[in-house]
């Protein structure tokens, strides 16, 4: 599933392609929005919040999309074969005279008044990549994580209600960087330790965004994620893969048994 860094880069690409020019073609191939007319409206901004994309229009509406597991947005020159949008997995088409953006295999799509964006995002914690996260956002995230009780830390981080934007990649990378066992009960970490977890996640993801702007999406090399059965670069122990959480957060979590030991064995 694309995480907050990829979603932020996607929002930037959509904004660069669409902002300021009227839409000459707009199709929402989604049951609840299929009859919507967007032609003639202009995109004013494209923003990310956690894993959510918000494409705002000058007519007071926002197109809210979520990539889920397989969704992507592609940008093509209008009039080219790729911009024809004939593929069966195309769920949204937004085109200006210059550029056409195709939302493919999207997992969620809503068209709502911009003033109601907050309703769609109300269940989420602070965005790990949001402006000012290291100030008020971090404190709020620590408070929300503390409320998770004995829940395994990896599971708490994957849930978007304490903080928004983390997935299996950056949860694994963050906990590896800090040598934290993924199944550490969240309530055994004090506020300072939880703050270090969130600050590290912010730093790693912000770097991914910076590198992605220069070299393309997901250009940062991973230290642990996706390296099962390969030697740890820090201690040479074989990287393991386990399950990080219960359904719906039962996703593979990569970790090093040598560097990330249970608290009792540390």
């Amino acid at each position: 599933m694309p995480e907050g860094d990829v979603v932020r880069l996607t929002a930037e690409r959509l904004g660069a392609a669409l902002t300021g020019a009227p839409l000459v073609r707009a199709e929402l191939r989604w049951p609840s929005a299929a009859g919507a007319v967007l032609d003639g409206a202009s995109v004013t901004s494209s923003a990310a919040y956690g894993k959510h994309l918000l494409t705002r229009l000058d007519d007071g509406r926002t197109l809210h999309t979520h990539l889920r597991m397989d969704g992507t947005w592609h940008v093509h020159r209008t009039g080219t074969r790729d911009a024809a949008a004939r593929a069966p997995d195309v769920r949204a088409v937004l085109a200006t005279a210059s550029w056409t953006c195709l939302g493919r295999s999207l997992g969620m799509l809503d068209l709502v008044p911009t003033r109601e964006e907050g309703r769609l995002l109300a269940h989420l914690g602070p965005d790990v990549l949001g402006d000012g996260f290291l100030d008020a956002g971090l404190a709020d995230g620590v408070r929300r994580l503390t409320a998770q009780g004995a829940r395994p830390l990896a599971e708490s981080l994957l849930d978007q209600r304490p903080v928004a934007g983390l997935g299996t990649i950056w949860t694994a990378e963050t906990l590896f960087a800090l040598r934290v066992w993924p199944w550490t009960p969240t309530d055994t970490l004090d506020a300072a330790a939880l703050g270090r977890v969130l600050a590290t996640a912010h730093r790693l993801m912000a770097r991914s965004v910076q590198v992605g702007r220069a070299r393309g999406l997901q250009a940062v090399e991973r230290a642990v994620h996706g390296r099962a059965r390969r030697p740890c670069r820090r201690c040479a122990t074989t990287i393991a893969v386990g399950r990080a959480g219960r359904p719906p957060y039962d996703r593979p979590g990569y970790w090093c048994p040598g560097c990330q030991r249970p608290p009792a064995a540390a």
Side-chain angles (χ1 to χ4, degrees):
M1 177 184 291
E3 302 186 19
D5 56 327
V6 172
V7 175
R8 185 161 293 260
L9 289 167
T10 300
E12 291 179 1
R13 292 182 65 217
L14 291 178
L18 297 173
T19 299
L23 297 175
V24 298
R25 180 187 180 191
E27 300 172 15
L28 303 181
R29 302 174 186 177
W30 198 268
S32 62
V37 177
L38 281 66
D39 301 67
S42 295
V43 171
T44 60
S45 66
S46 180
Y49 191 99
K51 300 180 182 182
H52 297 253
L53 278 163
L54 303 167
T55 304
R56 300 174 178 126
L57 304 170
D58 64 358
D59 64 2
R61 292 181 293 176
T62 294
L63 178 64
H64 163 247
T65 56
H66 193 296
L67 304 180
R68 297 280 182 157
M69 291 299 298
D70 302 312
T72 54
W73 277 95
H74 299 265
V75 179
H76 305 290
R77 282 201 174 276
T78 297
T80 62
R81 181 176 179 178
D82 289 335
R86 296 191 181 97
D89 64 348
V90 173
R91 298 290 176 262
V93 182
L94 300 176
T96 68
S98 299
W99 299 102
T100 296
C101 299
L102 306 181
R104 304 184 66 165
S105 299
L106 300 175
M108 187 184 300
L109 186 151
D110 301 284
L111 185 65
V112 300
T114 299
R115 65 179 180 274
E116 294 184 12
E117 285 179 8
R119 173 178 58 81
L120 296 175
L121 307 177
H123 64 290
L124 301 173
D127 181 0
V128 175
L129 285 173
D131 294 338
F133 175 76
L134 293 180
D135 299 318
L138 188 145
D140 186 23
V142 167
R143 178 183 61 80
R144 289 167 178 260
L145 282 175
T146 300
Q148 297 299 302
R151 193 180 193 186
L153 180 58
E155 184 178 335
S156 297
L157 294 172
L158 289 173
D159 189 336
Q160 301 299 290
R161 291 171 294 182
V163 291
L166 282 163
T168 53
I169 295 173
W170 293 113
T171 292
E173 296 294 313
T174 296
L175 298 182
F176 175 78
L178 295 173
R179 300 174 182 259
V180 175
W181 189 52
W183 295 274
T184 301
T186 304
D187 61 2
T188 63
L189 299 175
D190 61 21
L194 292 173
R196 285 192 293 273
V197 169
L198 295 184
T200 300
H202 171 84
R203 174 177 58 81
L204 293 175
M205 294 178 72
R207 177 175 177 270
S208 178
V209 171
Q210 291 175 343
V211 173
R213 287 170 180 157
R215 291 163 40 194
L217 298 177
Q218 297 179 314
V220 174
E221 187 176 7
R222 314 300 184 208
V224 64
H225 182 84
R227 301 190 70 247
R229 296 178 294 279
R230 297 173 65 184
C232 172
R233 294 170 179 167
R234 194 159 53 197
C235 73
T237 301
T238 300
I239 297 297
V241 59
R243 309 309 296 182
R246 301 184 299 270
Y249 307 108
D250 189 17
R251 290 174 278 176
Y254 296 84
W255 59 294
C256 173
C259 294
Q260 298 169 264
R261 299 180 181 179

